Amino acid sequence: MSGFKSGHVAIAGWTNVGKSTLLNRLVGEKIAAVANVPQTTRHRITGVLTLRDRGQIVFVDTPGFHHPRERMNRLMVDAARGTLTDVDLVLLVVDAERGPGRGDAEVAGIVAASGTPAIAVLNKVDLVQPKSKLLPWLKRAIEEWKCVEVVPVSAATGDGCDLLIERVLAHLPEGEAMFPDDFLTDQPERMLVAEWVRERILVHTREEIPHAAAV
């Protein structure tokens, strides 16, 4: 249909900046495990948002970038890197409460080198006071990181997420839907349940169970 937008959008960033929380918020369903520990997401997770008569956004949540030491961690970073060249747009997520750091700049450089346009997403803005602290970060994302624009959001509260969806649609090409209207994710039910169980393990047994726990 004329004007219908369709494309793949990677959610990328340094570890523990709220990428999976953002994915769950944008698609309106919990499909990714969320825990306050680094590298909770270990593989690519696809979530599909279909907006009737307007477009279909295929979000791809990636493992957080970090400096890997173990083989599993190296595979996670490789998976995140590989996703950047397979999509139409990247959401470069930054923890606004913590402020952009060396890791964020490193990821921004990787995204820029991929040649894929990126929107900088300043997450957790509900925890930033005063909001004027965001101004230099907005400027940095445009001038240094070469992002096409910046959108402040709170994945936890939903603030700014509707605007983010609108801006994502604006940067996607016209095309047909790639999935049925009711399609949500490519993760099988067994995998989703396993991730939710692992999430609870990480939340409730932080001192007792190794972070490498699997279900």
Side-chain angles (χ1 to χ4, degrees):
M1 62 186 72
S2 179
F4 192 87
K5 299 293 193 74
S6 177
H8 289 80
V9 179
I11 302 176
W14 196 249
T15 188
N16 219 30
V17 294
K19 298 183 299 298
S20 295
T21 303
L22 181 62
L23 172 67
N24 292 339
R25 174 66 67 176
L26 293 176
V27 300
E29 295 284 350
K30 182 178 177 62
I31 59 176
V34 176
N36 190 28
V37 294
Q39 293 102 55
T40 299
T41 300
R42 295 179 180 171
H43 56 274
R44 298 193 343 175
I45 299 176
T46 298
V48 180
L49 174 65
T50 301
L51 303 168
R52 185 175 179 84
D53 297 332
R54 299 186 60 209
Q56 185 177 82
I57 307 171
V58 182
F59 292 106
V60 183
D61 186 22
T62 63
F65 282 89
H66 57 285
H67 298 139
R69 292 180 294 179
E70 306 294 336
R71 183 177 178 222
M72 181 183 76
N73 297 78
R74 288 196 296 270
L75 292 172
M76 289 162 56
V77 173
D78 288 344
R81 282 179 177 270
T83 301
L84 300 179
T85 56
D86 295 334
V87 297
D88 302 288
L89 182 69
V90 176
L91 298 184
L92 175 58
V93 184
V94 177
D95 184 337
E97 180 190 20
R98 184 179 63 199
R102 293 176 58 185
D104 302 300
E106 186 176 322
V107 179
I110 295 171
V111 172
S114 74
T116 304
I119 294 176
V121 180
L122 301 184
N123 190 25
K124 306 182 185 181
V125 294
D126 56 308
L127 303 177
V128 177
Q129 294 295 339
K131 301 302 182 188
S132 58
K133 291 173 61 176
L134 298 174
L135 295 177
W137 305 339
L138 298 173
K139 183 178 180 181
R140 184 177 183 185
I142 297 295
E143 296 183 356
E144 295 183 26
W145 297 353
K146 308 305 180 184
C147 294
V148 294
E149 59 181 292
V150 188
V151 180
V153 307
S154 170
T157 67
D159 289 348
C161 289
D162 288 342
L163 173 61
L164 178 59
I165 290 172
E166 293 299 321
R167 299 315 304 154
V168 167
L169 276 177
H171 290 280
L172 292 184
E174 291 190 7
E176 298 181 355
M178 292 169 279
F179 298 95
D181 289 351
D182 59 351
F183 188 89
L184 180 63
T185 181
D186 61 348
Q187 301 296 300
E189 188 175 85
R190 185 180 183 89
M191 178 68 76
L192 289 175
V193 174
E195 285 296 282
W196 298 338
V197 171
R198 188 169 63 85
E199 173 190 276
R200 293 296 91 192
I201 291 174
L202 294 176
V203 169
H204 291 292
T205 59
R206 291 285 294 276
E207 301 299 329
E208 298 82 5
I209 304 295
H211 185 217
V215 177

